[in-house]
Amino acid sequence: MSGWNSPSPHPYQPVYGAPAPGPAPVYADTYAPPPQPAYGQGYGGDSKDPYAGERFKPKKRINDPIFLILFIAQLVGFIIISVITISKFGNAGGLGGGVGSDGTGGKITLNYHTVILLLFITGAGLILSALYLVLTRFFTKAIMHITLVLSILLNIGICVYYWITKYWSGAIIFTIIALLSVLAYWGYRARIPLASLLLQVVMDVTKHHPSVYFVAFTALILQAALSVWYTFAVIATYVRYTPNSPSCTAGNSCSSAKVIGFIVYETFSFLWTSQVIGNVALATLAGGPFGSWYYFGPREQGMMPAHPALSSFVRASTLSLGSIAFGSLIVTLLELIKMLLNMARNSANADGHPVEACLALCAECFIGCIESAVEYFNRYAYIEIALYGKPYISAAKDTWRLFKDRGIDALVNDSLVGMTLTWGAYAIGLLCSLFAYLYLRYTHPSYNADGQYTAPVLVFAFLIGLQCSLTLSSAIEAGVSTIFVGLGEDPQVLAIRAPPLFAMIAQTYPQVVQGVPRV
């Protein structure tokens, strides 16, 4: 493993202040991009204006207003329901306690002991996420190799587990997945050098734009607050409206149907709002620091507009919020369908119906694949929305044209970057769950005297740690994706911004640097 980061004759030396802030080594001695004139004089005789096609200056119109109204309405509904349930939950004596307290709070409810625990988990997730990004920057290739191998081992481990437990439907499917991942290893391994160089360029750009981290941390705080809020809303709803619960008095209407209905709505609202928060951050970064760096050059050259992140956020949170909510709603509905199929699979498996469980698992995998493809596709659509202020459908059409013209294979490197960051997020989620387990074990809260709340608390701790890391990593993925979009539309610009990266892409994927003609 030590050979992955052994010194090379061309060590990585990031440069900023010169025309190219990316790495300085020469990765392709046989390829040299032709010298290009500055903006205003054109690229290769073709005049290129940073503001061409309403880029960075879209028309002042609200796109997809119907979905904007629906998003605001569901958020207001979630606020009303959660406030009512949590307030009654607290008035019923369900809150109390503090750090290490084990003598307060009812045994069927959570208390402030858990609030403090979730806050600790959020802080731990934040620190671990930042540490993982630092490690990724200094050991990029090694971490990419490790995460690639871990992905394969995970598929094999799940496959073996299903065979041992005689879960035949899952065993057959994951055997196929494990075989495909092993066969694809060598192809992915060959793409690591380009993916690592791309990731390093993006990280070096972020060092000179503090707004990237400000946007990421703001989104992180909002996601964390929403996660904690959702957690207590669901718990309060369950305790408040479950029949025969001490909190369900004779004057209240309590039923299992009401519990299910409220929790499904709260989950839907949480997923949609969480998606929108992350995607607004993505659009802010794509249309702000990263897009401005690509089309205007480094700030030191004096062509970049003042406060690009602020201008991009205003566009994303007002004119384009409906379009972002539209795309986020599609992913949210797919996620809900996948959750229902998961419940159906578990129920069929518990009842001893292997055929139904296999069908449910196949449907769940199918929906999961669609969801992943839509999420991946949407990221580029949001960048089009951020740069040009397009409605969602128009942005989706242009994104599809961009994909079809350039070829999906050229985007595999972006997937490697996402895989690296996602594996880090899973590791951070597991560490947060471990922290929550140790906290519960050594503080002995009264509501968990019999251990009945250990599993739910560990699950929520994992989700909070995972979400915190994914939100922070999304800032880096936004830069990678923005470079791909800019590369597809105006590849000559990258030849000036990061010549070594452009040279490697030109050698590996020559069709990519041909550009995509705009119509």
Side-chain angles (χ1 to χ4, degrees):
M1 185 180 297
S2 60
W4 292 338
N5 290 285
S6 58
S8 65
H10 302 289
Y12 178 82
Q13 295 291 336
V15 179
Y16 201 87
V26 179
Y27 287 90
D29 296 332
T30 59
Y31 180 89
Q36 304 289 352
Y39 266 116
Q41 299 177 6
Y43 287 103
D46 182 18
S47 177
K48 298 290 183 180
D49 181 4
Y51 296 103
E54 298 183 0
R55 186 189 296 132
F56 300 113
K57 288 187 177 181
K59 293 180 180 178
K60 303 295 183 181
R61 62 175 181 270
I62 297 178
N63 295 319
D64 300 307
I66 294 177
F67 294 94
L68 175 61
I69 295 173
L70 289 176
F71 174 73
I72 295 175
Q74 67 83 24
L75 183 58
V76 171
F78 173 74
I79 293 173
I80 294 175
I81 292 175
S82 61
V83 168
I84 292 175
T85 55
I86 292 176
S87 62
K88 291 184 178 180
F89 173 62
N91 292 336
L95 294 176
V99 178
S101 174
D102 59 4
T104 58
K107 288 192 175 182
I108 66 162
T109 62
L110 305 186
N111 53 28
Y112 283 124
H113 185 283
T114 311
V115 176
I116 296 173
L117 168 60
L118 295 178
L119 292 177
F120 282 166
I121 291 172
T122 302
L126 189 153
I127 294 173
L128 292 173
S129 300
L131 179 61
Y132 182 74
L133 290 181
V134 172
L135 292 175
T136 301
R137 173 60 187 84
F138 286 103
F139 306 100
T140 311
K141 289 186 179 180
I143 290 180
M144 282 191 168
H145 276 283
I146 292 172
T147 54
L148 181 58
V149 173
L150 285 176
S151 298
I152 297 174
L153 292 178
L154 176 64
N155 291 330
I156 296 175
I158 295 176
C159 169
V160 172
Y161 172 77
Y162 282 158
W163 282 113
I164 292 176
T165 57
K166 298 181 180 181
Y167 184 28
W168 308 120
S169 57
I172 294 173
I173 291 176
F174 272 92
T175 298
I176 298 174
I177 294 175
L179 290 175
L180 292 176
S181 63
V182 171
L183 294 175
Y185 168 74
W186 301 107
Y188 278 109
R189 186 172 182 269
R191 293 176 171 89
I192 286 180
L194 178 54
S196 62
L197 180 59
L198 178 63
L199 185 58
Q200 289 171 350
V201 169
V202 172
M203 286 186 168
D204 286 339
V205 173
T206 61
K207 291 192 301 184
H208 301 272
H209 290 272
S211 57
V212 172
Y213 297 103
F214 177 80
V215 171
F217 276 99
T218 301
L220 177 65
I221 293 171
L222 291 176
Q223 291 276 20
L226 180 64
S227 298
V228 174
W229 187 2
Y230 164 74
T231 300
F232 278 89
V234 169
I235 294 173
T237 299
Y238 179 80
V239 173
R240 174 69 177 78
Y241 294 106
T242 298
N244 301 322
S245 169
S247 298
C248 181
T249 59
N252 297 322
S253 175
C254 300
S255 66
S256 298
K258 180 176 289 188
V259 172
I260 294 174
F262 279 162
I263 290 180
V264 168
Y265 178 79
E266 289 164 352
T267 302
F268 166 77
S269 180
F270 167 72
L271 292 174
W272 194 6
T273 305
S274 179
Q275 284 277 334
V276 170
I277 291 174
N279 293 329
V280 167
L282 166 63
T284 299
L285 296 174
F290 294 121
S292 296
W293 170 82
Y294 191 91
Y295 286 101
F296 291 97
R299 190 188 303 274
E300 286 78 0
Q301 293 184 357
M303 298 187 64
M304 183 181 295
H307 311 297
L310 179 60
S311 301
S312 181
F313 171 73
V314 171
R315 296 195 302 269
S317 59
T318 54
L319 302 178
S320 299
L321 185 58
S323 301
I324 294 174
F326 188 180
S328 302
L329 177 61
I330 298 174
V331 176
T332 300
L333 294 176
L334 290 173
E335 179 67 21
L336 279 178
I337 294 174
K338 190 172 70 171
M339 292 172 62
L340 293 176
L341 289 172
N342 180 266
M343 294 172 59
R345 174 171 62 88
N346 292 334
S347 177
N349 194 43
D351 295 338
H353 299 139
V355 176
E356 289 85 346
C358 181
L359 292 175
L361 178 61
C362 293
E364 184 183 350
C365 292
F366 178 71
I367 295 297
C369 292
I370 295 177
E371 180 189 2
S372 299
V374 171
E375 285 183 321
Y376 189 85
F377 182 83
N378 273 356
R379 185 159 74 247
Y380 294 91
Y382 296 140
I383 293 173
E384 290 281 337
I385 291 171
L387 292 175
Y388 299 97
K390 302 174 183 176
Y392 176 76
I393 296 298
S394 299
K397 291 180 179 178
D398 287 344
T399 301
W400 173 251
R401 181 173 55 83
L402 195 69
F403 275 32
K404 185 173 62 175
D405 186 273
R406 180 168 55 183
I408 297 299
D409 183 66
L411 300 177
V412 172
N413 291 283
D414 192 6
S415 296
L416 288 181
V417 171
M419 178 193 68
T420 302
L421 299 176
T422 300
W423 259 104
Y426 277 112
I428 291 168
L430 292 174
L431 290 175
C432 288
S433 293
L434 176 61
F435 175 79
Y437 173 76
L438 295 175
Y439 188 90
L440 290 176
R441 180 172 181 177
Y442 290 106
T443 57
H444 306 293
S446 57
Y447 67 81
N448 198 46
D450 299 325
Q452 67 271 31
Y453 279 108
T454 298
V457 170
L458 293 185
V459 170
F460 282 119
F462 173 81
L463 292 176
I464 290 175
L466 176 71
Q467 193 65 50
C468 288
S469 182
L470 289 177
T471 302
L472 199 58
S473 300
S474 66
I476 304 299
E477 290 194 74
V480 173
S481 302
T482 304
I483 287 180
F484 271 115
V485 172
L487 179 66
E489 297 178 347
D490 298 298
Q492 302 93 337
V493 180
L494 187 63
I496 291 180
R497 301 290 175 258
L501 177 60
F502 181 84
M504 183 177 285
I505 292 174
Q507 279 194 332
T508 309
Y509 307 106
Q511 76 278 8
V512 173
V513 299
Q514 295 175 1
V516 178
R518 286 202 165 273
V519 292

